[in-house]
Amino acid sequence: MVLFHYHLVTSNVREVEARYLGRLGFRLVARYGRIGEEQVHFEAGVAWEELERLGFRHRLSEVERGSVNVVVQPGQWPLPRVDHVGVALDDDEFQEVLERATELRYRVQEYPGRRTFVATDAGYRVEIHPQRDWIDDVLANADELRLSELQLKADDPASKSGALVRLLDVDGYDGEVELGDSTVRFLPGGPRGRPELYGELFDGTES
């Protein structure tokens, strides 16, 4: 089990994106959106000013470094909130998580061949992936950078962490959840619903 992805929602998309590209050394995979009714995406090298001139309506930005993938989506919150975290599982783990989701009465959204979401009872979702070539390619870069700890502020850290513990059948204590070599740490003083991003710790030879 590997925590390799998280999806942020914020009203300050450009600033948050710039933090990952500038301070943290991530690369821009693409910005996705629409021009008119056509779905389009633009890779690095096309400035925001050019996108505005084209009438680009931004839907999300995807950035990546090493084995860490982050998506930033426009939303209502100045401080980024986490819509979901993404974990890579082996095939047996994937089936076991789906079975536990059914037992817990968590809603499952399946997009065959693409992605599967589980909506927890704690205000956020978990994106689960079985073994796939593209994920293996991402995880192969863990020596460059991997996510050591994801720190999130929440109104009720115990309930937020408990949802992950129950769904993924992992160890957790006092708001901390162990996901493979990574830790998700829920801190008090955050909002109800989606937890708020507080910080990240990365490990890697080039970090």
Side-chain angles (χ1 to χ4, degrees), residues 5 7-8 13-14 17 21 27-44 46-48 51-52 54-64 69-74 114-115 134 138:
H5 165 73
H7 185 118
L8 304 175
V13 168
R14 297 191 191 187
E17 178 196 283
L21 298 180
R27 70 176 181 89
L28 178 66
V29 176
R31 298 183 183 114
Y32 303 87
R34 289 180 177 273
I35 296 178
E37 297 303 314
E38 182 182 1
Q39 294 190 25
V40 295
H41 70 275
F42 293 89
E43 298 178 2
V46 183
W48 280 108
L51 296 179
E52 290 176 347
L54 294 171
F56 177 70
R57 289 181 292 169
H58 182 243
R59 184 172 65 85
L60 56 86
S61 294
E62 181 181 6
V63 299
E64 193 169 87
N69 177 277
V70 181
V71 163
V72 186
Q73 174 187 329
R114 294 175 54 209
R115 58 187 62 188
W134 70 268
V138 171

Side-chain angles (χ1 to χ4, degrees), residues 13 35 39 78 85 90 96 137 141 150 156 184 189 195:
V13 168
I35 296 178
Q39 294 190 25
V85 296
D90 65 33
E96 290 167 0
D137 291 341
N141 296 316
L150 182 63
D156 186 347
V184 179

Side-chain angles (χ1 to χ4, degrees), residues 23-171:
R23 286 181 55 195
L24 299 177
F26 280 62
R27 70 176 181 89
L28 178 66
V29 176
R31 298 183 183 114
Y32 303 87
R34 289 180 177 273
I35 296 178
E37 297 303 314
E38 182 182 1
Q39 294 190 25
V40 295
H41 70 275
F42 293 89
E43 298 178 2
V46 183
W48 280 108
E49 292 75 16
E50 176 65 12
L51 296 179
E52 290 176 347
R53 189 186 67 78
L54 294 171
F56 177 70
R57 289 181 292 169
H58 182 243
R59 184 172 65 85
L60 56 86
S61 294
E62 181 181 6
V63 299
E64 193 169 87
R65 183 180 173 194
S67 63
V68 186
N69 177 277
V70 181
V71 163
V72 186
Q73 174 187 329
Q76 61 180 304
W77 300 288
L79 294 177
R81 296 200 191 181
V82 172
D83 176 82
H84 63 266
V85 296
V87 294
L89 310 165
D90 65 33
D91 290 340
D92 289 340
E93 287 175 329
F94 180 79
Q95 292 302 321
E96 290 167 0
V97 169
L98 286 180
E99 291 171 5
R100 278 193 295 274
T102 300
E103 294 170 0
L104 293 165
R105 298 185 178 180
Y106 287 168
R107 185 164 60 95
V108 177
Q109 299 170 288
E110 293 188 75
Y111 302 89
R114 294 175 54 209
R115 58 187 62 188
T116 301
F117 292 100
V118 178
T120 71
D121 58 0
Y124 63 90
R125 300 183 297 166
V126 179
E127 184 177 355
I128 57 174
H129 289 277
Q131 292 177 313
R132 289 184 178 140
D133 290 343
W134 70 268
I135 293 181
D136 290 340
D137 291 341
V138 171
L139 299 183
N141 296 316
D143 285 345
E144 177 190 344
L145 194 78
R146 70 176 182 84
L147 181 64
S148 175
E149 186 170 306
L150 182 63
Q151 301 169 349
L152 308 174
K153 292 182 72 173
D155 63 323
D156 186 347
S159 68
K160 293 291 193 287
S161 61
L164 273 183
V165 169
R166 291 190 296 273
L167 176 63
L168 301 178
D169 191 26
V170 292
D171 293 330

Side-chain angles (χ1 to χ4, degrees), residues 7-19:
H7 185 118
L8 304 175
V9 182
T10 177
S11 59
N12 294 318
V13 168
R14 297 191 191 187
E15 292 84 351
V16 173
E17 178 196 283
R19 171 180 177 264

